[in-house]
């Protein structure tokens, strides 16, 4: 029996690992070992996702916690090296583009007899100012086997000199999780307690609303930029309510920059705590649009055919633009684009190839043949 270590470190990883854990349950050819690096470590950012997605408790938790990119990466490498020594896996499969992805690949690649596998390989934004782009490039430079989500990722890898027989377009594990949990998500409550207000918002009582997610450093770490965004959110909320499950990083900067009182003054700008996976999917499913600088939501909205406005100069998921409902824009364009959506002219699209809920099955079949 072959042994594969599956690495999860941050929230987006869990939605990708869950379908694989379910597909490998009871498999007589492959034994999975789930390693949680602890990169996201609190119950809201991590533990709740394991419970909701029915992922078994990790076999190993490195508990590295929060730190700078360099320190966190070093801690993960130190802990994961010992895991590889003790477990002696045949394969190490990493997902996504977080620090855990690159760190565990760098460790495993130096062991004789361990093959490294990168799911979501080949995604490129072309923007090396993003830590995630560095992690993607480092990981793919030393990976043995590449699982991709779309044709553009295959093309990127081929341009970088990767042999085609090492590349497998398998589809999107995020969509596996989405399709498996959509019905359960629809049964969750859409009543949310507001941050810093003794009140609640009932999203299902609103005729229309938009969902926001913002956490990129260039949007929320810069005081002038964040203040500009707050002004735009306020103007938009006068036309359509906005619901924002606030990322801890963004919430911390809102406090540091003294913006909470201003935000509280806008009656249709609803700031709520980070949500579990099921509630968040239900919130997005019933939204008129998503306004974001995040990654995974570009894919989820594409599958659900909900307009997605991504406030970034680039995306590593261009298929969501070419085929899906996603659109890149500058902050100066936010109001105009939302006006179009309110008028029923928001962007629609199609579901990309293999985004069908069966990606994990395809991956397991490939692993069994390796």
């Amino acid at each position: 029996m072959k042994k594969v270590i599956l690495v999860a470190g941050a929230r987006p990883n869990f939605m990708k690992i869950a379908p694989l854990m379910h597909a490998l349950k009871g498999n007589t050819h492959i034994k999975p070992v789930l390693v949680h690096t602890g990169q996201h470590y609190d119950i809201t950012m991590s533990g709740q996702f394991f419970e909701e997605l029915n992922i078994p408790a990790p076999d190993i938790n490195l508990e590295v916690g929060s730190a700078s990119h360099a320190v966190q990466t070093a801690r993960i490498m130190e802990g994961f090296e010992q895991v590889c020594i003790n477990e002696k896996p045949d394969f190490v499969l990493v997902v996504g583009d977080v620090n855990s992805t690159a760190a565990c690949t760098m460790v495993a690649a130096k062991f004789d007899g361990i093959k490294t596998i990168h799911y979501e390989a080949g995604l490129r934004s072309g923007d090396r100012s993003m830590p995630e782009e560095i992690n993607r490039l480092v990981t793919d430079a030393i990976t043995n086997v590449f699982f991709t989500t779309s044709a553009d990722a295959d093309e990127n890898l081929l341009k970088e000199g990767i042999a085609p027989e090492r590349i497998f377009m398998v589809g999107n594990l995020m969509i596996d999780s989405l399709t498996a949990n959509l019905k359960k998500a629809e049964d969750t409550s859409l009543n949310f307690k507001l941050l810093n207000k003794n009140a609640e918002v009932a999203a299902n009582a609103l005729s229309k609303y938009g969902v926001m997610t913002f956490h990129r450093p260039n949007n929320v770490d810069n005081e002038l930029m964040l203040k500009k965004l707050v002004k735009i959110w306020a103007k938009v909320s006068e036309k359509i309510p906005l619901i924002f499950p606030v990322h801890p990083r963004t919430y911390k900067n809102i406090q540091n920059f003294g913006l909470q009182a201003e935000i509280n003054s806008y009656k249709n700008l609803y700031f709520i705590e980070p949500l579990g996976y099921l509630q968040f999917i239900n919130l997005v499913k019933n939204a008129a649009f998503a306004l974001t600088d995040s990654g995974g939501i570009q894919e989820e909205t594409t599958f659900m055919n909900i307009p997605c406005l991504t406030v970034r100069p680039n995306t590593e998921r261009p298929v969501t633009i070419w085929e899906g409902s996603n659109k890149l824009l500058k902050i100066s364009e936010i109001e105009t684009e939302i006006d179009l959506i309110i008028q029923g002219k928001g962007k629609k699209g199609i579901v990309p190839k293999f985004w069908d809920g069966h990606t994990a099955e395809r991956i397991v079949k490939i692993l069994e043949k390796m």
Side-chain angles (χ1 to χ4, degrees), residues 192-197 201 212 230 233 242-246 250-251 254 260 263-264 269-273:
F192 309 110
K193 188 177 184 302
L194 300 181
L195 285 172
N196 282 12
K197 289 184 183 179
V201 56
M212 295 199 302
V230 169
W233 298 341
L242 291 177
I243 301 177
F244 187 2
V246 188
T250 308
Y251 189 62
I254 285 169
Q260 189 64 58
I263 288 167
N264 290 348
L269 188 53
Y270 301 114
F271 278 49
I272 63 176
E273 291 184 352

Side-chain angles (χ1 to χ4, degrees), residues 96-276:
D97 53 19
V98 297
N99 290 339
S100 300
T101 308
C104 292
T105 304
M106 283 190 284
V107 169
K110 295 183 180 181
F111 280 84
D112 289 335
I114 298 179
K115 279 191 175 182
T116 55
I117 305 169
H118 184 202
Y119 163 77
E120 219 172 46
L123 297 184
R124 300 288 182 268
S125 69
D127 182 0
R128 294 198 181 193
S129 69
M130 296 174 65
E132 296 89 349
E133 183 76 352
I134 301 301
N135 289 336
R136 293 179 205 115
L137 292 166
V138 168
T139 302
D140 285 345
I142 53 177
T143 289
N144 298 118
V145 179
F146 304 81
F147 290 151
T148 65
T149 60
S150 54
D152 59 284
D154 289 17
E155 292 169 6
N156 290 334
L157 293 170
L158 292 170
K159 289 175 185 175
E160 292 168 12
I162 304 301
E165 62 269 19
R166 296 166 61 195
I167 303 169
F168 302 87
M169 189 168 82
V170 292
N172 196 322
L173 287 171
M174 291 273 283
I175 306 307
D176 282 27
S177 282
L178 181 59
T179 56
N181 291 282
L182 197 53
K183 179 58 180 167
K184 194 173 10 173
E186 290 170 353
D187 295 332
T188 61
S189 169
L190 287 178
N191 289 351
F192 309 110
K193 188 177 184 302
L194 300 181
L195 285 172
N196 282 12
K197 289 184 183 179
N198 187 23
E200 289 189 348
V201 56
N204 55 352
L206 302 171
S207 58
K208 286 184 178 180
Y209 64 85
V211 172
M212 295 199 302
T213 67
F214 280 87
H215 74 281
R216 297 282 175 188
N218 58 331
N219 281 331
V220 304
D221 286 359
N222 182 290
E223 184 174 358
L224 289 177
M225 181 64 75
L226 187 54
K227 285 181 175 179
K228 189 179 292 187
L229 278 169
V230 169
K231 295 292 185 186
I232 292 171
W233 298 341
K235 289 181 181 178
V236 170
S237 71
E238 293 173 356
K239 304 172 184 178
I240 183 170
L242 291 177
I243 301 177
F244 187 2
V246 188
H247 190 282
R249 176 197 201 106
T250 308
Y251 189 62
K252 178 182 177 182
N253 286 334
I254 285 169
Q255 309 308 311
N256 290 342
F257 300 151
L259 296 171
Q260 189 64 58
E262 179 182 353
I263 288 167
N264 290 348
S265 70
Y266 303 124
K267 65 177 184 177
N268 290 324
L269 188 53
Y270 301 114
F271 278 49
I272 63 176
E273 291 184 352
L275 300 177

Side-chain angles (χ1 to χ4, degrees), residues 1-59:
M1 180 178 284
K2 299 290 186 181
K3 182 186 289 187
V4 57
I5 289 179
L6 304 176
V7 178
R11 253 172 49 147
N13 297 165
F14 308 145
M15 286 89 85
K16 299 161 190 172
I17 288 294
L20 284 174
M21 292 299 296
H22 298 316
L24 286 167
K25 187 176 181 180
N27 191 290
T28 57
H29 303 287
I30 303 167
K31 178 184 178 182
V33 177
L34 180 57
V35 174
H36 181 8
T37 66
Q39 183 175 329
H40 279 174
Y41 53 92
D42 64 80
I43 188 66
T44 306
M45 297 298 285
S46 166
Q48 187 175 359
F49 272 55
F50 274 78
E51 181 180 339
E52 291 188 341
L53 294 169
N54 197 27
I55 308 173
D59 297 290

Side-chain angles (χ1 to χ4, degrees), residues 319-363:
V319 70
T320 64
I321 295 172
W322 299 336
E323 299 183 23
S325 57
N326 187 25
K327 190 170 187 177
L328 294 180
L329 71 161
K330 302 173 183 176
I331 64 169
S332 60
E333 299 170 324
I334 292 175
E335 289 182 75
T336 300
E337 290 297 330
I338 290 177
D339 285 342
L340 290 173
I341 292 170
I342 293 172
Q343 296 166 23
K345 300 176 183 177
K347 187 182 178 189
K348 299 293 184 179
I350 62 171
V351 177
K353 183 179 180 180
F354 292 149
W355 292 24
D356 55 7
H358 299 287
T359 294
E361 298 166 30
R362 285 187 282 270
I363 289 176

